[in-house]
Amino acid sequence: MATDPYLSVAALTKYIKKKFDADPHLRDVYVKGELSNVKIHTSGHIYFTLKDQKARMPAVMFSARAKSMKFRPESGMTVLIRGDISVYEASGQYQLYAQSMQPDGIGDYYLAFEQLKEKLNKEGVFNADHKQSLPRFPEKVAVITAQTGAAVRDIITTLKRRYPLAQIVLFPTLVQGQGAVQSIVQSIQQANRTDSDVLIVGRGGGSIEDLWAFNEEAVARAIHDSTIPIISAVGHETDTTIADFVADLRAATPTAAAELAVPSRIELLERVMGQRQIMFRHMTNDLEQRRIRLTQLQNSYPMAYPDRLYRPFIERIERAADALQRETVLTVRRSGDRLTMLSRQLDNRNPSDRIRQAERDLAILGDRLDQRIANVFNQREQQLKSAIRTLDALSPLKIMDRGYAIPFKHGEVVKSVDQLELGDQLSLSLKDGEVKTVIEAIDSKEKERD
């Protein structure tokens, strides 16, 4: 019986693996390259691609070695690795098993990433105060990603599953390669012209080159200028882009972005049912308390004898009515007495009587004034007559009656011979006329005494 010439895939792969393992040049290799597609598993194993401008190879560093590293490997970093080359039989691929890793400068993408990140950070583009809050119950969710692929399927499936009330608006967008930046910016601007409540911007996983459009400044500024809150969902959890820093919220994956964008219908139903049970329990307790209270009231003494419940009030009303009537009569009586007293006081203060009394007083004062005036007039009359008699006694006419005359010279009375000269003409005024005379001699008494 001839031997089967065909080998199984596993046998052939195992043979190749032995060849790799037997090669002494592959047992301890030193290789330099740029990290790409870095994925840190929850177990601590690090899976990545090591590449340069012309080639790439898959690589892995197990958690026992990864724990000793002093830095966190990220896509775009250039590293120095020591390890060995072997074949992973399950996939039939050779790969680098890293024993140690240390950074060796940075790659072009990493440098561009850090420079743009620093620039936008200084401008405050990443500031928390610019972040918008997501609506709790969005009515319309816009999705900006490639029209085909796992990302858009995961987002739409998750949105419909969690919150079918939300309307999904897809903006088919080129998210990789030439023209991706402009396509992403245009989609964000178009979505902002709609009434969407939240935007999901992202794509599935890939190399740093595949995701690079989300590290471009134009995309970052479009996200920053959006008036609608944006959730970034670019690549896997280990992939970090500039869009993640600018966006209002970062999701680890597109599926996670959909979960962050809308509430869970099941959780809402559970919450509603829970609230319903709480309300039902509260209402039941409240009704039971009210029923107990009603029973107590129905069995209470006042409710058993309702007429006795309002009897005291009737008595109080009747007593109040009697008191009101008595008080009314008393008040009317007091008011009548008061009115009478005031009328009397008013009569006593009648101005007509006061006027008549004033007229009588005025008449008495008038009589007294007339009497006083008459007395004064008589006194003044007697005084005048006495003065006339005195004047009459002293009047020069009376003296002239006894034969005296008054001489005048040039109209003036001559009182001394010193006023006269010989030949002067004098006028002599007698009691019954006037005569003219001429001075012929002057005899002065002073001369005689001399």
Side-chain angles (χ1 to χ4, degrees):
M1 182 176 181
T3 303
D4 187 356
Y6 296 97
L7 298 175
S8 66
V9 177
L12 180 57
T13 304
K14 191 175 185 66
Y15 175 78
I16 295 173
K17 184 176 185 302
K18 286 182 178 180
K19 289 294 185 181
F20 273 77
D21 293 341
D23 189 338
H25 298 291
L26 299 179
R27 293 177 184 173
D28 190 15
V29 297
Y30 294 82
V31 60
K32 174 181 176 181
E34 181 179 331
L35 295 177
S36 178
N37 290 332
V38 177
K39 300 175 183 177
I40 301 177
H41 197 269
T42 54
S43 62
H45 304 325
I46 302 174
Y47 299 93
F48 56 94
T49 300
L50 192 65
K51 67 176 186 178
D52 56 20
Q53 295 180 349
K54 295 182 179 179
R56 60 177 60 200
M57 69 173 63
V60 60
M61 174 178 275
F62 294 117
S63 60
R65 298 288 183 178
K67 291 179 181 177
S68 61
M69 287 201 308
K70 304 299 183 184
F71 69 100
R72 179 184 178 86
E74 296 180 354
S75 297
M77 297 179 65
T78 302
V79 294
L80 301 176
I81 294 178
R82 181 182 180 183
D84 60 276
I85 304 295
S86 185
V87 174
Y88 181 54
E89 296 179 54
S91 62
Q93 291 182 324
Y94 80 91
Q95 63 182 3
L96 172 65
Y97 292 85
Q99 304 296 325
S100 64
M101 182 191 301
Q102 59 183 0
D104 181 43
I106 55 178
D108 294 340
Y109 283 114
Y110 186 76
L111 178 61
F113 176 87
E114 290 296 331
Q115 289 177 344
L116 180 59
K117 178 182 174 183
E118 182 180 359
K119 174 185 176 182
L120 297 179
N121 188 40
K122 288 182 179 179
E123 294 180 9
V125 177
F126 303 152
N127 288 350
D129 56 0
H130 184 73
K131 306 292 185 184
Q132 303 181 71
S133 301
L134 300 182
R136 190 173 180 183
F137 303 105
E139 297 179 358
K140 183 177 292 186
V141 179
V143 180
I144 298 175
T145 189
Q147 188 173 8
T148 60
V152 66
R153 290 197 304 271
D154 293 344
I155 292 174
I156 293 176
T157 301
T158 304
L159 290 175
K160 290 183 176 179
R161 173 176 52 82
R162 286 177 59 85
Y163 197 65
L165 292 177
Q167 178 185 356
I168 302 172
V169 182
L170 176 63
F171 290 87
T173 306
L174 185 62
V175 295
Q176 176 180 341
Q178 187 175 4
V181 174
Q182 185 63 25
S183 179
I184 297 171
V185 172
Q186 288 178 353
S187 294
I188 294 175
Q189 293 173 347
Q190 289 175 1
N192 270 271
R193 290 193 286 270
T194 67
D195 57 349
S196 299
D197 299 306
V198 62
L199 307 183
I200 296 176
V201 180
R203 53 153 293 156
S207 65
I208 188 172
E209 294 88 347
D210 297 338
L211 308 180
W212 191 251
F214 295 90
N215 287 323
E216 293 290 348
E217 183 174 353
V219 173
R221 296 203 180 277
I223 295 175
H224 181 264
D225 295 338
S226 174
T227 58
I228 303 174
I230 291 180
I231 303 173
S232 69
V234 182
H236 301 294
E237 183 174 3
T238 56
D239 298 320
T240 302
T241 64
I242 295 295
D244 296 330
F245 292 103
V246 185
D248 300 289
L249 189 63
R250 182 213 178 216
T253 62
T255 301
E259 293 176 345
L260 293 173
V262 296
S264 170
R265 175 177 59 88
I266 297 176
E267 293 177 357
L268 291 175
L269 288 175
E270 291 176 351
R271 187 180 302 175
V272 170
M273 294 303 295
Q275 294 295 327
R276 179 181 178 183
Q277 291 178 356
I278 293 173
M279 291 178 60
F280 180 76
R281 185 165 58 253
H282 287 175
M283 291 181 64
T284 302
N285 293 336
D286 185 64
L287 289 174
E288 180 62 19
Q289 294 296 327
R290 292 175 181 270
R291 188 187 64 77
I292 295 173
R293 178 61 178 164
L294 178 60
T295 302
Q296 292 175 346
L297 291 174
Q298 289 175 341
N299 297 330
S300 62
Y301 176 79
M303 295 303 294
Y305 303 97
D307 58 325
R308 299 182 184 181
L309 180 65
Y310 53 80
R311 182 185 300 170
F313 297 100
I314 295 176
E315 293 179 358
R316 290 175 61 182
I317 291 174
E318 292 177 350
R319 291 179 181 178
D322 293 341
L324 177 62
Q325 185 177 7
R326 289 195 301 272
E327 188 65 24
T328 302
V329 173
L330 184 60
T331 301
V332 171
R333 185 180 300 166
R334 289 174 178 172
S335 299
D337 296 341
R338 176 68 174 168
L339 178 61
T340 302
M341 181 184 67
L342 292 176
S343 298
R344 291 174 180 173
Q345 292 179 352
L346 183 61
D347 292 339
N348 293 334
R349 297 179 181 178
N350 192 333
S352 300
D353 295 341
R354 299 183 66 179
I355 292 173
R356 285 192 292 272
Q357 181 63 37
E359 289 177 348
R360 287 192 294 270
D361 295 341
L362 181 61
I364 294 172
L365 291 175
D367 294 341
R368 291 179 180 177
L369 180 60
D370 293 341
Q371 185 63 37
R372 182 63 176 171
I373 292 173
N375 292 338
V376 172
F377 181 79
N378 291 331
Q379 289 178 0
R380 294 290 187 269
E381 185 178 11
Q382 292 303 322
Q383 291 175 353
L384 178 61
K385 290 180 177 178
S386 176
I388 292 173
R389 285 195 298 270
T390 302
L391 290 176
D392 186 60
L394 297 176
S395 172
L397 296 177
K398 287 294 184 180
I399 298 173
M400 293 172 70
D401 286 340
R402 293 195 300 266
Y404 292 97
I406 301 173
F408 291 92
K409 179 183 178 180
H410 303 303
E412 295 181 355
V413 176
V414 179
K415 297 178 180 179
S416 175
V417 294
D418 294 336
Q419 296 178 253
L420 302 175
E421 293 180 357
L422 294 178
D424 289 342
Q425 289 185 353
L426 297 178
S427 295
L428 298 178
S429 179
L430 302 177
K431 73 170 186 177
D432 54 356
E434 186 179 282
V435 293
K436 303 291 186 180
T437 185
V438 177
I439 300 300
E440 295 180 348
I442 299 173
D443 293 330
S444 175
K445 292 179 179 180
E446 293 292 336
K447 293 178 178 180
E448 291 179 356
R449 281 194 299 266
D450 294 340

